[in-house]
Amino acid sequence: MRQYPIDYGLVLSAVLFAIGMAGVFVRRNVIFVLLCIEIMLNAAGLAFVLGGARWGQADGQVMFIFILAMAAAEVSVGLALIMRMFHRFKSLDTNEIARMKG
Amino acid sequence: MFPVFYVAGLVALVSTVMVVTRRNPIHALLYFILSLVAVAVIFLDAGAPFVAALEVIIYAGAIMVLFIFVVMLLNPGVALVIRAREWIGPAILSLLLTLGIVYSVVGSTIKTMGISATTPKDIAMALFGPYLLGVELASLLLLAGLVAAYHLGRRIEREAPARGASLQPGAPVGSGAPSSRKEGA
């Protein structure tokens, strides 16, 4: 069962979130950017579930289910946008679409 | 005592770093699936077996498969040659994770976990009790995502023919090609 302090779990979730955020900043491939957003969402879900487990309540897991639904909707729209971007610009580089028209 | 949390947390950290630093998107996706399974092991260890199952089924099973579909649609030319040297990292991480899972299932922790774990009934009572509004909002969000993904995915094929074909009111579904051919002539 749980023999570790809850702080370690929250630190792990914070470090995972930081890795995902660094990936969003560093990577220029838009698929990797979407993947790093998934890492950040997953880290937030980990913090919710561990917080809920700390108090023995189901609320943290309910919030994780909401995060899961949001991640599914976000991924479907994001991947459709990526396919559209690839068909239009023939590239997955975010620098290609950094310049706006007008 | 086998330190399930520390091993699974280490696997999650290492595989997430590998996700961010990989060059091949498929490799990054596979490492991310490993990271998700590691987080699921942490959930299992923390007494949340239902959410651990959801993490594996929905995140690693559905969302990541969607990612892999798109990567394989967009990068058909990537050579997927598997070399023996590339198996070392994933094999070690998977082995550590397997030890954690086996210990969680076989060891004596399963008795204590059954007592204090949050059952699916608790989650369902909370979800459809005080959080009912959130369920409705999530359903609206999923509907919006469905409509948006359908719309964005459909317009890729409609961009090539003439624009006026889709604007005619009352036109049957299959009449786009003849009318555009007429406009072209």
Side-chain angles (χ1 to χ4, degrees):
Chain A
M1 204 48 205
R2 203 161 54 78
Q3 299 106 358
Y4 52 92
I6 192 71
D7 304 359
Y8 291 0
L10 294 182
V11 165
L12 172 69
S13 129
V15 172
L16 286 180
F17 190 90
I19 292 172
M21 198 166 65
V24 170
F25 290 150
V26 170
R27 297 308 295 256
R28 292 271 69 90
N29 190 329
V30 70
I31 286 183
F32 277 95
V33 172
L34 203 57
L35 203 57
C36 290
I37 292 174
E38 289 301 308
I39 292 174
M40 292 159 72
L41 283 176
N42 194 42
L46 177 65
F48 267 117
V49 171
L50 286 180
R54 164 68 180 79
W55 298 104
Q57 297 291 320
D59 302 71
Q61 305 184 33
V62 168
M63 289 312 290
F64 183 81
I65 292 175
F66 287 154
I67 289 176
L68 212 57
M70 195 196 67
E74 175 243 339
V75 160
S76 64
V77 175
L79 286 177
L81 280 172
I82 286 176
M83 300 232 6
R84 229 170 127 62
M85 172 187 166
F86 186 76
H87 278 271
R88 184 155 176 177
F89 295 98
K90 302 295 175 205
S91 162
L92 290 175
D93 197 345
T94 49
N95 288 330
E96 294 282 327
I97 56 170
R99 191 170 302 143
M100 299 179 75
K101 222 180 276 183
Chain B
M1 288 302 274
F2 188 77
V4 177
F5 169 76
Y6 297 103
V7 171
L10 188 68
V11 171
L13 278 181
V14 172
S15 56
T16 306
V17 169
M18 298 295 260
V19 169
V20 178
T21 55
R22 285 309 91 182
R23 186 170 290 271
N24 191 334
I26 291 287
H27 292 174
L29 284 169
L30 294 180
Y31 269 114
F32 189 46
I33 289 176
L34 189 58
S35 165
L36 289 173
V37 174
V39 173
V41 170
I42 293 176
F43 288 166
L44 200 61
D45 185 53
F50 181 64
V51 165
L54 277 186
E55 174 102 359
V56 172
I57 293 170
I58 296 182
Y59 241 124
I63 297 181
M64 287 304 113
V65 167
L66 213 60
F67 264 101
I68 289 177
F69 274 162
V70 170
V71 169
M72 289 194 168
L73 274 177
L74 297 189
N75 289 348
V78 174
L80 291 174
V81 182
I82 299 175
R83 286 183 291 273
R85 196 165 47 84
E86 294 177 350
W87 277 82
I88 297 175
I92 292 174
L93 293 177
S94 306
L95 192 67
L96 284 175
L97 213 52
T98 311
L99 284 179
I101 295 176
V102 166
Y103 181 79
S104 297
V105 173
V106 173
S108 64
T109 57
I110 195 161
K111 298 177 187 66
T112 60
M113 191 180 285
I115 293 171
S116 65
T118 315
T119 61
K121 185 184 173 188
D122 296 334
I123 301 171
M125 293 304 279
L127 195 60
F128 291 100
Y131 289 101
L132 190 58
L133 184 65
V135 174
E136 302 287 342
L137 289 177
S139 74
L140 272 182
L141 181 69
L142 284 174
L143 180 66
L146 179 71
V147 171
Y150 173 71
H151 181 70
L152 289 171
R154 193 193 51 161
R155 285 285 298 274
I156 291 174
E157 297 160 13
R158 285 291 179 89
E159 219 163 4
R163 293 278 159 79
S166 62
L167 292 179
Q168 290 172 353
V173 179
S175 73
S179 67
S180 66
R181 202 187 310 142
K182 196 163 56 186
E183 282 178 59

